[in-house]
PDB file of all heavy atoms in Angstrom:
ATOM      1  N   PRO A  43       0.818  -1.217   0.000  1.00 97.00           N
ATOM      2  CA  PRO A  43       0.000   0.000   0.000  1.00 97.00           C
ATOM      3  C   PRO A  43       0.857   1.276   0.000  1.00 97.00           C
ATOM      4  O   PRO A  43       1.733   1.447   0.841  1.00 97.00           O
ATOM      5  CB  PRO A  43      -0.798  -0.120   1.304  1.00 97.00           C
ATOM      6  CG  PRO A  43      -0.901  -1.590   1.549  1.00 97.00           C
ATOM      7  CD  PRO A  43       0.414  -2.153   1.079  1.00 97.00           C
ATOM      8  N   GLY A  44       0.612   2.129  -0.979  1.00 98.00           N
ATOM      9  CA  GLY A  44       1.309   3.406  -1.072  1.00 98.00           C
ATOM     10  C   GLY A  44       2.688   3.348  -1.694  1.00 98.00           C
ATOM     11  O   GLY A  44       3.285   4.405  -1.975  1.00 98.00           O
ATOM     12  N   ALA A  45       3.223   2.142  -1.943  1.00 98.00           N
ATOM     13  CA  ALA A  45       4.609   2.028  -2.407  1.00 98.00           C
ATOM     14  C   ALA A  45       4.797   2.585  -3.815  1.00 98.00           C
ATOM     15  O   ALA A  45       5.706   3.384  -4.075  1.00 98.00           O
ATOM     16  CB  ALA A  45       5.057   0.576  -2.342  1.00 98.00           C
ATOM     17  N   ARG A  46       3.960   2.140  -4.742  1.00 98.00           N
ATOM     18  CA  ARG A  46       4.095   2.621  -6.122  1.00 98.00           C
ATOM     19  C   ARG A  46       3.913   4.133  -6.175  1.00 98.00           C
ATOM     20  O   ARG A  46       4.662   4.833  -6.871  1.00 98.00           O
ATOM     21  CB  ARG A  46       3.079   1.917  -7.015  1.00 98.00           C
ATOM     22  CG  ARG A  46       3.088   2.410  -8.447  1.00 98.00           C
ATOM     23  CD  ARG A  46       2.116   1.614  -9.310  1.00 98.00           C
ATOM     24  NE  ARG A  46       2.033   2.157 -10.650  1.00 98.00           N
ATOM     25  CZ  ARG A  46       1.298   1.629 -11.638  1.00 98.00           C
ATOM     26  NH1 ARG A  46       0.599   0.526 -11.413  1.00 98.00           N
ATOM     27  NH2 ARG A  46       1.268   2.197 -12.829  1.00 98.00           N
ATOM     28  N   GLU A  47       2.931   4.648  -5.451  1.00 98.00           N
ATOM     29  CA  GLU A  47       2.662   6.084  -5.454  1.00 98.00           C
ATOM     30  C   GLU A  47       3.847   6.883  -4.911  1.00 98.00           C
ATOM     31  O   GLU A  47       4.171   7.956  -5.423  1.00 98.00           O
ATOM     32  CB  GLU A  47       1.406   6.386  -4.635  1.00 98.00           C
ATOM     33  CG  GLU A  47       0.118   5.850  -5.230  1.00 98.00           C
ATOM     34  CD  GLU A  47      -0.125   4.367  -4.978  1.00 98.00           C
ATOM     35  OE1 GLU A  47       0.712   3.729  -4.290  1.00 98.00           O
ATOM     36  OE2 GLU A  47      -1.147   3.847  -5.446  1.00 98.00           O
ATOM     37  N   LEU A  48       4.524   6.331  -3.889  1.00 98.00           N
ATOM     38  CA  LEU A  48       5.676   7.036  -3.331  1.00 98.00           C
ATOM     39  C   LEU A  48       6.831   7.063  -4.315  1.00 98.00           C
ATOM     40  O   LEU A  48       7.477   8.106  -4.508  1.00 98.00           O
ATOM     41  CB  LEU A  48       6.128   6.377  -2.023  1.00 98.00           C
ATOM     42  CG  LEU A  48       7.374   6.993  -1.378  1.00 98.00           C
ATOM     43  CD1 LEU A  48       7.180   8.480  -1.100  1.00 98.00           C
ATOM     44  CD2 LEU A  48       7.737   6.244  -0.096  1.00 98.00           C
ATOM     45  N   VAL A  49       7.111   5.940  -4.969  1.00 98.00           N
ATOM     46  CA  VAL A  49       8.190   5.919  -5.965  1.00 98.00           C
ATOM     47  C   VAL A  49       7.891   6.926  -7.076  1.00 98.00           C
ATOM     48  O   VAL A  49       8.770   7.683  -7.514  1.00 98.00           O
ATOM     49  CB  VAL A  49       8.381   4.505  -6.548  1.00 98.00           C
ATOM     50  CG1 VAL A  49       9.436   4.528  -7.654  1.00 98.00           C
ATOM     51  CG2 VAL A  49       8.797   3.515  -5.457  1.00 98.00           C
ATOM     52  N   GLU A  50       6.659   6.943  -7.527  1.00 97.00           N
ATOM     53  CA  GLU A  50       6.280   7.881  -8.596  1.00 97.00           C
ATOM     54  C   GLU A  50       6.408   9.327  -8.133  1.00 97.00           C
ATOM     55  O   GLU A  50       6.853  10.191  -8.907  1.00 97.00           O
ATOM     56  CB  GLU A  50       4.849   7.578  -9.051  1.00 97.00           C
ATOM     57  CG  GLU A  50       4.719   6.255  -9.792  1.00 97.00           C
ATOM     58  CD  GLU A  50       3.283   5.891 -10.124  1.00 97.00           C
ATOM     59  OE1 GLU A  50       2.370   6.392  -9.430  1.00 97.00           O
ATOM     60  OE2 GLU A  50       3.083   5.124 -11.088  1.00 97.00           O
ATOM     61  N   ASP A  51       6.052   9.605  -6.889  1.00 97.00           N
ATOM     62  CA  ASP A  51       6.148  10.962  -6.358  1.00 97.00           C
ATOM     63  C   ASP A  51       7.601  11.408  -6.251  1.00 97.00           C
ATOM     64  O   ASP A  51       7.946  12.550  -6.589  1.00 97.00           O
ATOM     65  CB  ASP A  51       5.468  11.023  -4.991  1.00 97.00           C
ATOM     66  CG  ASP A  51       5.200  12.445  -4.509  1.00 97.00           C
ATOM     67  OD1 ASP A  51       4.901  13.308  -5.363  1.00 97.00           O
ATOM     68  OD2 ASP A  51       5.291  12.690  -3.301  1.00 97.00           O
ATOM     69  N   VAL A  52       8.472  10.495  -5.807  1.00 98.00           N
ATOM     70  CA  VAL A  52       9.901  10.814  -5.706  1.00 98.00           C
ATOM     71  C   VAL A  52      10.473  11.118  -7.087  1.00 98.00           C
ATOM     72  O   VAL A  52      11.208  12.096  -7.274  1.00 98.00           O
ATOM     73  CB  VAL A  52      10.658   9.651  -5.040  1.00 98.00           C
ATOM     74  CG1 VAL A  52      12.168   9.872  -5.122  1.00 98.00           C
ATOM     75  CG2 VAL A  52      10.237   9.488  -3.579  1.00 98.00           C
ATOM     76  N   ARG A  53      10.119  10.301  -8.050  1.00 97.00           N
ATOM     77  CA  ARG A  53      10.629  10.515  -9.405  1.00 97.00           C
ATOM     78  C   ARG A  53      10.098  11.810 -10.006  1.00 97.00           C
ATOM     79  O   ARG A  53      10.827  12.517 -10.715  1.00 97.00           O
ATOM     80  CB  ARG A  53      10.259   9.324 -10.286  1.00 97.00           C
ATOM     81  CG  ARG A  53      11.013   8.053  -9.927  1.00 97.00           C
ATOM     82  CD  ARG A  53      10.628   6.915 -10.839  1.00 97.00           C
ATOM     83  NE  ARG A  53      11.480   5.749 -10.635  1.00 97.00           N
ATOM     84  CZ  ARG A  53      11.388   4.645 -11.348  1.00 97.00           C
ATOM     85  NH1 ARG A  53      10.488   4.538 -12.310  1.00 97.00           N
ATOM     86  NH2 ARG A  53      12.206   3.632 -11.112  1.00 97.00           N
ATOM     87  N   ALA A  54       8.826  12.108  -9.751  1.00 96.00           N
ATOM     88  CA  ALA A  54       8.247  13.340 -10.284  1.00 96.00           C
ATOM     89  C   ALA A  54       8.956  14.570  -9.733  1.00 96.00           C
ATOM     90  O   ALA A  54       9.013  15.616 -10.388  1.00 96.00           O
ATOM     91  CB  ALA A  54       6.751  13.400  -9.956  1.00 96.00           C
ATOM     92  N   ALA A  55       9.536  14.436  -8.530  1.00 96.00           N
ATOM     93  CA  ALA A  55      10.282  15.538  -7.922  1.00 96.00           C
ATOM     94  C   ALA A  55      11.711  15.621  -8.458  1.00 96.00           C
ATOM     95  O   ALA A  55      12.472  16.504  -8.055  1.00 96.00           O
ATOM     96  CB  ALA A  55      10.304  15.367  -6.407  1.00 96.00           C
ATOM     97  N   GLY A  56      12.072  14.699  -9.351  1.00 96.00           N
ATOM     98  CA  GLY A  56      13.405  14.718  -9.935  1.00 96.00           C
ATOM     99  C   GLY A  56      14.481  14.110  -9.059  1.00 96.00           C
ATOM    100  O   GLY A  56      15.675  14.332  -9.294  1.00 96.00           O
ATOM    101  N   VAL A  57      14.074  13.344  -8.044  1.00 97.00           N
ATOM    102  CA  VAL A  57      15.039  12.721  -7.127  1.00 97.00           C
ATOM    103  C   VAL A  57      15.355  11.306  -7.616  1.00 97.00           C
ATOM    104  O   VAL A  57      14.436  10.513  -7.838  1.00 97.00           O
ATOM    105  CB  VAL A  57      14.478  12.659  -5.692  1.00 97.00           C
ATOM    106  CG1 VAL A  57      15.462  11.975  -4.758  1.00 97.00           C
ATOM    107  CG2 VAL A  57      14.155  14.067  -5.197  1.00 97.00           C
ATOM    108  N   PRO A  58      16.622  10.944  -7.797  1.00 97.00           N
ATOM    109  CA  PRO A  58      16.985   9.600  -8.253  1.00 97.00           C
ATOM    110  C   PRO A  58      16.542   8.528  -7.255  1.00 97.00           C
ATOM    111  O   PRO A  58      16.531   8.753  -6.040  1.00 97.00           O
ATOM    112  CB  PRO A  58      18.509   9.652  -8.349  1.00 97.00           C
ATOM    113  CG  PRO A  58      18.839  11.101  -8.471  1.00 97.00           C
ATOM    114  CD  PRO A  58      17.799  11.818  -7.664  1.00 97.00           C
ATOM    115  N   THR A  59      16.190   7.361  -7.794  1.00 98.00           N
ATOM    116  CA  THR A  59      15.789   6.233  -6.955  1.00 98.00           C
ATOM    117  C   THR A  59      16.690   5.035  -7.221  1.00 98.00           C
ATOM    118  O   THR A  59      17.142   4.808  -8.340  1.00 98.00           O
ATOM    119  CB  THR A  59      14.332   5.824  -7.222  1.00 98.00           C
ATOM    120  OG1 THR A  59      14.170   5.485  -8.608  1.00 98.00           O
ATOM    121  CG2 THR A  59      13.374   6.945  -6.862  1.00 98.00           C
ATOM    122  N   ALA A  60      16.936   4.264  -6.160  1.00 98.00           N
ATOM    123  CA  ALA A  60      17.685   3.022  -6.272  1.00 98.00           C
ATOM    124  C   ALA A  60      16.900   1.923  -5.572  1.00 98.00           C
ATOM    125  O   ALA A  60      16.114   2.181  -4.660  1.00 98.00           O
ATOM    126  CB  ALA A  60      19.071   3.152  -5.647  1.00 98.00           C
ATOM    127  N   LEU A  61      17.101   0.694  -5.997  1.00 98.00           N
ATOM    128  CA  LEU A  61      16.523  -0.460  -5.326  1.00 98.00           C
ATOM    129  C   LEU A  61      17.661  -1.321  -4.815  1.00 98.00           C
ATOM    130  O   LEU A  61      18.568  -1.685  -5.566  1.00 98.00           O
ATOM    131  CB  LEU A  61      15.626  -1.252  -6.267  1.00 98.00           C
ATOM    132  CG  LEU A  61      14.876  -2.397  -5.578  1.00 98.00           C
ATOM    133  CD1 LEU A  61      13.432  -2.468  -6.039  1.00 98.00           C
ATOM    134  CD2 LEU A  61      15.579  -3.729  -5.798  1.00 98.00           C
ATOM    135  N   VAL A  62      17.611  -1.637  -3.519  1.00 98.00           N
ATOM    136  CA  VAL A  62      18.690  -2.390  -2.864  1.00 98.00           C
ATOM    137  C   VAL A  62      18.070  -3.573  -2.135  1.00 98.00           C
ATOM    138  O   VAL A  62      17.357  -3.397  -1.150  1.00 98.00           O
ATOM    139  CB  VAL A  62      19.470  -1.493  -1.879  1.00 98.00           C
ATOM    140  CG1 VAL A  62      20.614  -2.267  -1.247  1.00 98.00           C
ATOM    141  CG2 VAL A  62      19.997  -0.242  -2.592  1.00 98.00           C
ATOM    142  N   THR A  63      18.323  -4.772  -2.628  1.00 96.00           N
ATOM    143  CA  THR A  63      17.669  -5.963  -2.099  1.00 96.00           C
ATOM    144  C   THR A  63      18.667  -7.065  -1.769  1.00 96.00           C
ATOM    145  O   THR A  63      19.720  -7.169  -2.407  1.00 96.00           O
ATOM    146  CB  THR A  63      16.624  -6.504  -3.103  1.00 96.00           C
ATOM    147  OG1 THR A  63      16.026  -7.696  -2.586  1.00 96.00           O
ATOM    148  CG2 THR A  63      17.254  -6.812  -4.456  1.00 96.00           C
ATOM    149  N   THR A  64      18.326  -7.879  -0.792  1.00 93.00           N
ATOM    150  CA  THR A  64      19.136  -9.048  -0.461  1.00 93.00           C
ATOM    151  C   THR A  64      18.855 -10.194  -1.428  1.00 93.00           C
ATOM    152  O   THR A  64      19.640 -11.144  -1.515  1.00 93.00           O
ATOM    153  CB  THR A  64      18.853  -9.495   0.987  1.00 93.00           C
ATOM    154  OG1 THR A  64      19.119  -8.393   1.858  1.00 93.00           O
ATOM    155  CG2 THR A  64      19.737 -10.656   1.410  1.00 93.00           C
ATOM    156  N   THR A  65      17.777 -10.110  -2.175  1.00 90.00           N
ATOM    157  CA  THR A  65      17.410 -11.153  -3.136  1.00 90.00           C
ATOM    158  C   THR A  65      18.458 -11.245  -4.239  1.00 90.00           C
ATOM    159  O   THR A  65      18.896 -10.224  -4.773  1.00 90.00           O
ATOM    160  CB  THR A  65      16.038 -10.828  -3.757  1.00 90.00           C
ATOM    161  OG1 THR A  65      15.062 -10.788  -2.714  1.00 90.00           O
ATOM    162  CG2 THR A  65      15.634 -11.864  -4.785  1.00 90.00           C
ATOM    163  N   PRO A  66      18.887 -12.469  -4.614  1.00 90.00           N
ATOM    164  CA  PRO A  66      19.845 -12.625  -5.711  1.00 90.00           C
ATOM    165  C   PRO A  66      19.293 -12.090  -7.031  1.00 90.00           C
ATOM    166  O   PRO A  66      18.073 -12.071  -7.252  1.00 90.00           O
ATOM    167  CB  PRO A  66      20.047 -14.153  -5.784  1.00 90.00           C
ATOM    168  CG  PRO A  66      19.656 -14.666  -4.442  1.00 90.00           C
ATOM    169  CD  PRO A  66      18.560 -13.761  -3.975  1.00 90.00           C
ATOM    170  N   ARG A  67      20.180 -11.691  -7.925  1.00 93.00           N
ATOM    171  CA  ARG A  67      19.783 -11.069  -9.180  1.00 93.00           C
ATOM    172  C   ARG A  67      18.866 -11.970 -10.004  1.00 93.00           C
ATOM    173  O   ARG A  67      17.891 -11.488 -10.580  1.00 93.00           O
ATOM    174  CB  ARG A  67      21.037 -10.702  -9.986  1.00 93.00           C
ATOM    175  CG  ARG A  67      20.785 -10.155 -11.383  1.00 93.00           C
ATOM    176  CD  ARG A  67      20.122  -8.804 -11.391  1.00 93.00           C
ATOM    177  NE  ARG A  67      20.953  -7.759 -10.811  1.00 93.00           N
ATOM    178  CZ  ARG A  67      20.626  -6.477 -10.801  1.00 93.00           C
ATOM    179  NH1 ARG A  67      19.481  -6.071 -11.346  1.00 93.00           N
ATOM    180  NH2 ARG A  67      21.407  -5.594 -10.233  1.00 93.00           N
ATOM    181  N   ARG A  68      19.133 -13.262 -10.062  1.00 89.00           N
ATOM    182  CA  ARG A  68      18.328 -14.126 -10.933  1.00 89.00           C
ATOM    183  C   ARG A  68      16.883 -14.230 -10.449  1.00 89.00           C
ATOM    184  O   ARG A  68      15.980 -14.456 -11.242  1.00 89.00           O
ATOM    185  CB  ARG A  68      18.953 -15.514 -11.073  1.00 89.00           C
ATOM    186  CG  ARG A  68      18.696 -16.509  -9.964  1.00 89.00           C
ATOM    187  CD  ARG A  68      19.339 -17.842 -10.307  1.00 89.00           C
ATOM    188  NE  ARG A  68      19.067 -18.870  -9.319  1.00 89.00           N
ATOM    189  CZ  ARG A  68      18.130 -19.801  -9.454  1.00 89.00           C
ATOM    190  NH1 ARG A  68      17.372 -19.817 -10.535  1.00 89.00           N
ATOM    191  NH2 ARG A  68      17.948 -20.712  -8.509  1.00 89.00           N
ATOM    192  N   LEU A  69      16.666 -14.036  -9.157  1.00 87.00           N
ATOM    193  CA  LEU A  69      15.305 -14.034  -8.632  1.00 87.00           C
ATOM    194  C   LEU A  69      14.666 -12.661  -8.776  1.00 87.00           C
ATOM    195  O   LEU A  69      13.462 -12.551  -9.009  1.00 87.00           O
ATOM    196  CB  LEU A  69      15.298 -14.428  -7.153  1.00 87.00           C
ATOM    197  CG  LEU A  69      15.274 -15.926  -6.823  1.00 87.00           C
ATOM    198  CD1 LEU A  69      16.555 -16.610  -7.286  1.00 87.00           C
ATOM    199  CD2 LEU A  69      15.081 -16.131  -5.332  1.00 87.00           C
ATOM    200  N   ALA A  70      15.460 -11.621  -8.628  1.00 90.00           N
ATOM    201  CA  ALA A  70      14.919 -10.257  -8.648  1.00 90.00           C
ATOM    202  C   ALA A  70      14.597  -9.763 -10.050  1.00 90.00           C
ATOM    203  O   ALA A  70      13.750  -8.870 -10.212  1.00 90.00           O
ATOM    204  CB  ALA A  70      15.911  -9.295  -7.991  1.00 90.00           C
ATOM    205  N   THR A  71      15.223 -10.338 -11.078  1.00 91.00           N
ATOM    206  CA  THR A  71      15.105  -9.803 -12.431  1.00 91.00           C
ATOM    207  C   THR A  71      13.665  -9.692 -12.909  1.00 91.00           C
ATOM    208  O   THR A  71      13.244  -8.651 -13.440  1.00 91.00           O
ATOM    209  CB  THR A  71      15.918 -10.662 -13.413  1.00 91.00           C
ATOM    210  OG1 THR A  71      17.313 -10.573 -13.073  1.00 91.00           O
ATOM    211  CG2 THR A  71      15.742 -10.193 -14.843  1.00 91.00           C
TER     212      THR A  71
END
């Protein structure tokens, strides 16, 4: 809840976003 909207709001403000996960790349892709 609210996650997609927050990412979109951050991007609309021109702030770069990163995703940092413990999940291995082959699972996260």
Side-chain angles (χ1 to χ4, degrees):
R46 177 177 175 177
E47 293 80 2
L48 177 57
V49 176
E50 291 174 337
D51 195 35
V52 171
R53 290 181 172 183
V57 178
T59 58
L61 186 137
V62 182
T63 178
T64 303
T65 299
R67 175 68 65 175
R68 81 177 183 99
L69 275 65
T71 296

